[in-house]
Amino acid sequence: MKKLTQTELDYILQQHSLWLQHQGGERAVLNNTDLSHLNLEGAVLHRANLTRTNFTNANLFDADMSDADITYAIFKEADLNNASFRDADLRNANFSYAQMPNVDLYRADVYRADFNNANLNDDAFNKPTIGNTIMTLRGSGKSECLAFH
């Protein structure tokens, strides 16, 4: 497993940001990488390859890992407060003893993920409310709306 320095990681995050904005750069492929004890606060790893990445004791406060492949990753004792894992593949990930208040796991695949002793809010898996929302159906030629209350 390759260990990255904070400087190497910061460069990869910069390149990934450019890739996401279609301005060159390249997708972050950090599979089998040791990022333990590094600072990823506010990192945007949307759609990154993070399979088997070690995030033990890493600072991932406010990180965006939505729609990423994070299978078999290790988040032991990591700070994941305010992190987003929307639509992420977290199968077999280890979150034991992680700090996870306000984490967003909406539609994440957490099959066989280990949340042993994790500080996790009860609403982490909740679907967003759609109350008082109006949806207009297109293509029907009618001006009808569906309202959810």
Side-chain angles (χ1 to χ4, degrees):
M1 181 174 281
K2 181 181 178 181
K3 173 76 175 162
L4 291 184
T5 66
Q6 187 69 51
T7 303
E8 292 169 323
L9 175 61
D10 291 343
Y11 177 77
I12 290 169
L13 292 173
Q14 179 185 35
Q15 292 300 304
H16 186 70
S17 179
L18 292 171
W19 178 77
L20 286 171
Q21 298 169 33
H22 305 287
Q23 297 178 355
E26 62 183 275
R27 179 182 183 214
V29 178
L30 295 166
N31 55 314
N32 295 305
T33 304
D34 184 357
L35 302 178
S36 61
H37 304 282
L38 294 181
N39 183 13
L40 289 98
E41 182 174 345
V44 178
L45 287 164
H46 174 71
R47 297 177 50 206
N49 181 344
L50 305 168
T51 303
R52 297 188 188 279
T53 301
N54 182 4
F55 293 101
T56 301
N57 278 311
N59 177 10
L60 292 150
F61 177 84
D62 208 26
D64 178 5
M65 290 183 265
S66 57
D67 203 25
D69 183 357
I70 318 174
T71 54
Y72 294 96
I74 302 168
F75 291 96
K76 287 183 181 179
E77 300 178 8
D79 180 359
L80 298 166
N81 187 22
N82 239 25
S84 177
F85 292 99
R86 279 185 171 240
D87 300 306
D89 189 348
L90 295 166
R91 289 174 293 155
N92 298 293
N94 185 340
F95 291 96
S96 58
Y97 296 95
Q99 296 304 308
M100 303 178 73
N102 304 314
V103 73
D104 183 358
L105 293 164
Y106 180 59
R107 290 190 314 236
D109 187 348
V110 293
Y111 180 72
R112 291 195 169 179
D114 180 1
F115 292 98
N116 184 37
N117 294 308
N119 178 11
L120 180 65
N121 285 355
D122 292 336
D123 62 348
F125 298 96
N126 286 348
K127 296 179 182 178
T129 59
I130 58 173
N132 298 321
T133 302
I134 297 176
M135 300 173 76
T136 304
L137 300 176
R138 296 184 181 185
S140 65
K142 298 179 183 177
S143 61
E144 297 178 36
C145 295
L146 294 176
F148 296 93
H149 300 285

